[in-house]
Structures are given as structure tokens and as C-alpha cells.
Amino acid sequence: MSRNKKMSVSSEALSALWQILDDVEQYLAPTSEREREQVPLFSDAEALDADQGQAIGQMDLASLASQVVSCTSCVLSEKRAHPVFGSGEPGAKLMVVGEGPGEMEDRTGKPFVGKAGEYLDAWLSAISLSRIHDIYITNVVKCRPPHNRDPEIQEVAACLPYLIRQIELIRPQMILCLGRYASQTILENQKPLRDLRGTVHRYHDIPTVVTYHPAAVLRNTGLRKEVWEDLKLVASYLDLALKTR
Ligand code: URA
Ligand code: SF4
């Protein structure tokens, strides 16, 4: 396929996803504060499991996790060793969202346990956050894309109800998106990451900051300055001390 053709296919696919997201949003958006209290916050994410008895939007974290273990809603289920649901403190003030499991994560079933995860821990500790106590961490897709390829638009769309429900249950004070996939998916925006970072957005009522993926920064250390600016934004919003060595 020519490069131009490829680009037009992927931008069509992205437009289709934003359309789906807009439709879901319109259908679910509460119209007043009073209604907001009465209906699920973001989504009843009912799509996936009518046949299994419980809608995703009704599930608690434990049932959601077991649903993911047996999920076959997209082709990523075929080659995964372990789905990676997410981990951390259910009362976390910060929810971190990455792209998808890599090799180590697929092997262990845990998010961000490889090199990128170690680097992420250093970022978090620079703003006085500990992964164990303060963070809930997950990914846009819960199963590893083979050879770490980018997730396809249909895979992101199939997995999205899980992420939406996780956010709804955790209700973090802030969301930090790592990389283009998490940022564009959560913000429903196709702009490049460099245009989305550096400011506080909202996912519904939740302040949301986006920055580069730690794996990208390991490859291109020139991005560190921007990441530090974004982390300082998180720190200032959550009133966290900066730890400079
Ligand atoms: N990269 C991600 O985006 N998520 C992980 O869990 C690991 C690496
Ligand atoms: Fe299901 Fe998500 Fe895994 Fe696809 S990536 S099989 S939607 S859990």
C-alpha cells in the first residue's frame, strides 16, 4: 500500500473512532449536575457483554478484571499470553494510562514492568508519587499487540469500554496519558502529542495531562524537558512536592 493510501486509510479509521466516541458521549452525557449524580458518570459501556449477564458499566473492578481475562472481543486475544488489566491503588489520586502491554507485561500480566516502567517510576518519584500507594495504572489496550506493533483502531474501540469503566470506578483526581494513543483516545482528539501536551484538559470532569511515552523518551532524550514540564503540571495540580536530586 502506498504511503498516501495508508495515511488516508488510517485517518478515515480515526475519524470513524471519533464518531463512535461522539455517539457514545452524546447518548450518555448527563445534562445537569442532578442527573450526573443519578446516572453512571461517563458510560454504561453496555456494549460488550449482554450475553454474559452483566453490562460492563455495572461491573466492579474485580468483575471487570475477570471479564478481561476471558475477553475475545478483538484479535489481540489470539496471541496474548496474559491480558494486562491494570494495577495499583483503587483510591489513587493519579491514574496513568499507557498504550498497551509489551513483552514483559504480556509475560507477567502486570503493567509497565519493563524498562519503560522503571523509567516511569523515576518520573513519578520526581513528583513524590509512589506507584504502590498513589497510582492506578493501565493501558488503552489490555492485550499485547504482536511484536509491539501499534494497536489498530478496531482494537482500541473494542477495548475502550474497559478503560472507561476503570476511570469511572477509580475516579482519580487527575489522569496522566502517556503517548499518542492514550492521549488521543482519552481526549478524543487527533492532534499530535506536541500540540496536546503542556496544558490541563478535561476528561469529563477529570483534569487530564498528556505527555510523551517513557519508551519514546528513552529513545529520544531530547523530550525530557517537555516531560518534566508536564510532570510539574501534575505536581502543581495535585499539590505535590518536586524532588530534584
Ligand atoms: N508500554 C505501555 O504503554 N504499557 C505498558 O504496560 C508497558 C509498556
Ligand atoms: Fe478484549 Fe481488549 Fe484484549 Fe481486545 S485487547 S481481546 S478488547 S481485553
Side-chain angles (χ1 to χ4, degrees):
M1 204 187 293
S2 74
R3 187 152 182 271
N4 280 347
K5 181 92 191 291
K6 247 190 193 157
M7 282 178 65
S8 99
V9 168
S10 84
S11 79
E12 272 164 28
L14 275 172
S15 305
L17 177 63
W18 309 137
Q19 187 56 54
I20 295 169
L21 291 172
D22 280 348
D23 292 348
V24 169
E25 191 114 74
Q26 268 198 343
Y27 172 65
L28 297 159
T31 52
S32 70
E33 280 308 309
R34 206 165 63 78
E35 274 180 65
R36 183 189 291 265
E37 283 161 20
Q38 291 168 357
V39 298
L41 246 195
F42 313 133
S43 160
D44 66 1
E46 67 193 5
L48 288 191
D49 290 299
D51 54 333
Q52 301 196 28
Q54 197 183 17
I56 290 203
Q58 310 294 311
M59 289 183 184
D60 61 15
L61 273 181
S63 355
L64 204 58
S66 62
Q67 193 64 45
V68 163
V69 168
S70 58
C71 180
T72 53
S73 294
C74 83
V75 295
L76 296 183
S77 61
E78 289 166 13
K79 300 240 163 87
R80 72 181 174 216
H82 299 98
V84 180
F85 177 65
S87 69
E89 176 51 50
K93 48 185 140 191
L94 183 68
M95 181 154 172
V96 179
V97 183
E99 179 177 320
E103 188 183 357
M104 282 293 284
E105 291 77 20
D106 182 62
R107 248 191 249 167
T108 57
K110 299 202 169 77
F112 280 97
V113 289
K115 275 221 170 83
E118 271 174 35
Y119 194 29
L120 174 64
D121 285 344
W123 294 6
L124 295 173
S125 111
I127 52 170
S128 310
L129 290 173
S130 114
R131 177 121 50 124
I132 299 167
H133 300 298
D134 307 310
I135 306 293
Y136 186 89
I137 189 160
T138 189
N139 287 301
V140 170
V141 289
K142 311 304 189 208
C143 304
R144 183 191 183 201
H147 310 293
N148 296 348
R149 67 157 168 77
D150 289 342
E152 300 281 348
I153 204 83
Q154 309 89 305
E155 295 156 359
V156 172
C159 217
L160 193 57
Y162 296 126
L163 178 61
I164 291 174
R165 184 63 182 155
Q166 279 172 306
I167 299 173
E168 187 173 45
L169 287 164
I170 305 290
R171 273 178 169 268
Q173 291 172 37
M174 179 166 248
I175 298 171
L176 174 64
C177 302
L178 302 176
R180 180 164 72 92
Y181 278 86
S183 308
Q184 294 185 339
T185 301
I186 288 183
L187 298 179
E188 295 178 41
N189 194 317
Q190 296 181 60
K191 286 188 188 159
L193 195 52
R194 64 174 176 279
D195 294 346
L196 293 172
R197 57 154 298 277
T199 184
V200 180
H201 304 263
R202 298 253 154 192
Y203 173 76
H204 294 258
D205 55 350
I206 304 177
T208 301
V209 168
V210 315
T211 197
Y212 294 102
H213 194 288
V217 188
L218 284 170
R219 286 192 300 268
N220 175 5
T221 53
L223 299 171
R224 282 186 304 194
K225 183 169 161 290
E226 280 100 325
V227 170
W228 182 229
E229 282 165 13
D230 298 331
L231 291 174
K232 283 197 286 189
L233 210 52
V234 174
S236 116
Y237 212 92
L238 294 178
D239 204 15
L240 304 166
L242 303 182
K243 284 194 189 159
T244 42
R245 275 172 290 160

